[in-house]
Amino acid sequence: MTLTRAMVANDINGSISDLGRALNLNWEMGYEEGQIITLETEESWSNGGQFTVCNDFPVSYQLFIENEVPCHIVDYTNEEELEAIGAEECDDEKECLIPAGTKLRVTRGEESIDLDEMGYYTIYLEYIEED
């Protein structure tokens, strides 16, 4: 059986707070305080790694999950895992995968002052445990 990105993301091996993610999009997401987001696919996040967004779309976001979230902390010594997630030679990213279905609540949504003063939106989220 070939290892997939979803299989790696669902192999929870840690719980980390203060994960971050950078996005550049062609549109504004409209994040609002209190909004609940359910991840549709597994997502790459980091806790202080070096990551460069590989597109020049005009709307930039910096997202942060403040509390601990169960995730898969990438093992950069595991070649099969790196190949499955497309992270060969990316150990400076300190990647963590959060599985699809994870629920996050927006605690600080889009504020125009962020975009005006910094050129990007800063969004804060919190992990919501399933009941």
Side-chain angles (χ1 to χ4, degrees):
M1 177 190 287
T2 303
L3 192 61
T4 66
R5 184 175 172 84
M7 290 166 69
V8 173
N10 284 302
D11 180 21
I12 303 300
N13 64 0
S15 187
I16 298 180
S17 61
D18 299 319
L19 288 176
R21 178 179 182 152
L23 296 174
N24 287 348
L25 304 170
N26 274 329
W27 62 88
E28 293 184 0
M29 292 293 293
Y31 290 113
E32 296 179 3
E33 187 174 328
Q35 178 182 4
I36 305 297
I37 299 165
T38 302
L39 302 185
E40 294 180 17
T41 62
E42 61 281 344
E43 291 187 355
S44 297
W45 291 72
S46 180
N47 64 337
Q50 300 297 315
F51 176 77
T52 302
V53 179
C54 297
N55 69 50
D56 59 358
F57 294 148
V59 183
S60 296
Y61 288 89
Q62 296 291 320
L63 294 94
F64 300 96
I65 304 173
E66 298 179 285
N67 60 339
E68 286 192 1
V69 59
C71 59
H72 178 85
I73 302 164
V74 173
D75 176 1
Y76 288 97
T77 65
N78 183 329
E79 293 298 323
E80 182 183 16
E81 180 174 302
L82 295 179
E83 185 177 326
I85 66 172
E88 299 95 336
E89 300 181 26
C90 296
D91 55 331
D92 57 343
E93 291 182 2
K94 294 180 69 176
E95 187 171 353
C96 301
L97 292 174
I98 300 176
T102 299
K103 293 188 183 310
L104 304 170
R105 177 182 296 116
V106 178
T107 59
R108 181 181 186 267
E110 292 176 17
E111 295 185 9
S112 60
I113 193 167
D114 285 354
L115 192 59
D116 295 341
E117 291 187 358
M118 299 182 298
Y120 58 87
Y121 289 113
T122 303
I123 307 299
Y124 288 96
L125 307 159
E126 68 180 354
Y127 167 68
I128 303 171
E129 291 190 47
E130 293 291 326
D131 291 331

